Amino acid sequence: MARKSLNELSGIAKAIADSSPQAKDRTAKTSAPALGALQGSLTAIRELDPDLIDDWGPKDRLDGFTTVNSEDEDDGFRSLKSSIEEGGQQVPILVRKSGTAGRFEVIYGRRRLRACRELDLKVRANVQDLDDAAALLAKGLENAARRNLSFYEKARFSAVIQAAGHDTKTVRQVLSLSASGLSHLTKVTDNIPEDVGDRIGAAPKSGRPKWTALAEAFIAKKVNASAAFAMLSKLDTALSSDDRLEHLLREIARRGARPSEGREVTPVAGVTIKSGRATIAMSIKRAGENAAFAEWLDRELEDIIKKSYQEFTAVNPEDDTRG
């Protein structure tokens, strides 16, 4: 793509092009491949057999920030399919050649590809030579330009742009962020495991406060990935992503609640357990009606605690999602 055509790109694309780490060294052949893919040239548009196009990309990195907001996916696909059937495919998909001769990989446009496949039609495709990083960025740019991203989608998008080799200045330009705004997004992606975010979804109605609260819960070790999954798995599958986030936050708060004052109980005569904010202490009288029990407990307590700890860790494995 010639340098001149960069000026014709959208603001989002131009921001990436201008601040790309390789911007100064580009040649006409390799200039901003991810951005050129957004616009493409007429010579790159081909009609392909849908059966020659394979899926591409790690799902959690692609769909995690571009299609997690999918509560209305079924209705949207039906409308898209009807539109293509009646008026033809107006917007090409983006593909690249695969490692297998004669085959291609879809970068974005999976729904259009699926619709053409079901309608037994050739699919119009923009064929570009992209590496993994450029392909990932192109997919993100196309989706960001197509619709408004939720707060969480922006967070995931910003992380992927940086992972593709672009600096924080680029991220801020693409998403129109202040330095503090990017910091809020980074706090979320650095502390909420991606698979937990995928399980929740885009939560389009939930902004920074709720996602930040969840990030802070992970930071404070009030919850880990396995515990979050357990909480989310109990929810009705029909709940929206916003409701899933809300329920998770409530459950974390409920489990983390502690009485403001310490408590003291006597489960059996001569045994007292004191529970405070910082410690749990137990005292046992060696005299009185349960003196014999006290002597037995003195001998067995170490083994009892070890056994109880093994039972606890068996059902509460340490979270290794974040170091």
Side-chain angles (χ1 to χ4, degrees):
M1 183 176 65
R3 177 68 182 179
K4 179 180 178 181
S5 63
L6 288 175
N7 296 323
E8 300 171 0
L9 297 176
S10 67
I12 289 177
K14 190 174 185 300
I16 287 285
D18 290 343
S19 59
S20 171
Q22 294 81 27
K24 296 180 180 180
D25 301 322
R26 285 193 298 259
T27 64
K29 181 178 180 181
T30 60
S31 176
L35 306 177
L38 289 175
Q39 187 173 15
S41 63
L42 293 178
T43 58
I45 305 299
R46 298 167 56 182
E47 289 193 346
L48 301 175
D49 182 344
D51 291 335
L52 295 178
I53 303 175
D54 303 315
D55 205 356
W56 169 82
K59 289 294 187 180
D60 58 334
R61 295 303 299 273
L62 294 173
D63 296 338
F65 73 93
T66 57
T67 60
V68 284
N69 184 5
S70 58
E71 276 88 4
D72 300 322
E73 183 69 17
D74 289 340
D75 290 341
F77 175 73
R78 283 192 291 268
S79 297
L80 174 65
K81 184 177 177 180
S82 295
S83 175
I84 292 177
E85 185 175 25
E86 295 172 4
Q89 179 193 350
Q90 301 301 314
V91 180
I93 67 173
L94 176 64
V95 303
R96 69 178 185 180
K97 293 180 180 179
S98 75
T100 303
R103 299 196 66 82
F104 302 85
E105 295 172 333
V106 59
I107 307 305
Y108 62 68
R110 285 175 172 82
R111 294 166 73 248
R112 279 164 276 169
L113 173 61
R114 175 187 166 194
C116 290
R117 183 176 285 136
E118 292 185 4
L119 292 169
D120 197 24
L121 298 173
K122 291 288 184 70
V123 61
R124 296 181 66 238
N126 179 5
V127 182
Q128 296 287 336
D129 183 14
L130 304 173
D131 61 20
D132 287 349
L136 186 63
L137 186 56
K139 178 179 174 64
L141 286 169
E142 193 268 350
N143 280 276
R146 181 164 51 86
R147 63 176 178 81
N148 291 327
L149 300 178
S150 70
F151 177 85
Y152 184 59
E153 288 174 307
K154 285 182 180 179
R156 292 282 288 268
F157 189 12
S158 69
V160 171
I161 294 174
Q162 293 181 77
H166 297 278
D167 58 21
T168 56
K169 179 182 177 182
T170 300
V171 179
R172 289 175 55 188
Q173 288 178 317
V174 170
L175 296 176
S176 299
L177 296 170
S178 63
S180 62
L182 177 57
S183 177
H184 292 312
L185 298 182
T186 302
K187 183 176 185 178
V188 167
T189 53
D190 281 353
N191 295 287
I192 299 176
E194 284 189 6
D195 47 4
V196 173
D198 290 340
R199 179 67 67 93
I200 295 170
K205 298 177 183 178
S206 302
R208 176 172 63 86
K210 289 184 179 180
W211 283 104
T212 300
L214 182 58
E216 290 174 347
F218 277 98
I219 294 171
K221 299 189 182 301
K222 294 180 180 179
V223 67
N224 58 30
S226 57
F229 268 102
M231 297 176 199
L232 290 166
S233 65
K234 296 177 181 178
L235 300 179
D236 187 337
T237 56
L239 286 177
S240 69
S241 56
D242 289 287
D243 287 337
R244 287 193 291 272
L245 175 58
E246 180 68 26
H247 278 70
L248 178 58
L249 289 172
R250 288 180 182 174
E251 183 63 13
I252 293 172
R254 186 187 70 79
R255 294 190 179 193
R258 293 289 186 271
S260 57
E261 300 295 336
R263 65 188 182 94
E264 181 177 316
V265 295
T266 303
V268 297
V271 178
T272 301
I273 301 174
K274 294 182 179 180
S275 177
R277 284 185 176 272
T279 62
I280 299 174
M282 180 173 65
S283 62
I284 308 166
K285 292 182 179 180
R286 290 184 177 273
E289 61 182 289
N290 277 330
F293 173 67
E295 294 300 325
W296 175 86
L297 195 57
D298 188 23
R299 295 190 304 270
E300 303 292 333
L301 186 57
E302 182 178 352
D303 289 338
I304 291 173
I305 291 177
K306 287 180 178 178
K307 181 179 179 181
S308 298
Y309 183 73
Q310 290 173 351
E311 293 175 350
F312 167 79
T313 55
V315 296
N316 295 277
E318 182 180 358
D319 176 32
D320 59 0
T321 305
R322 285 289 186 267

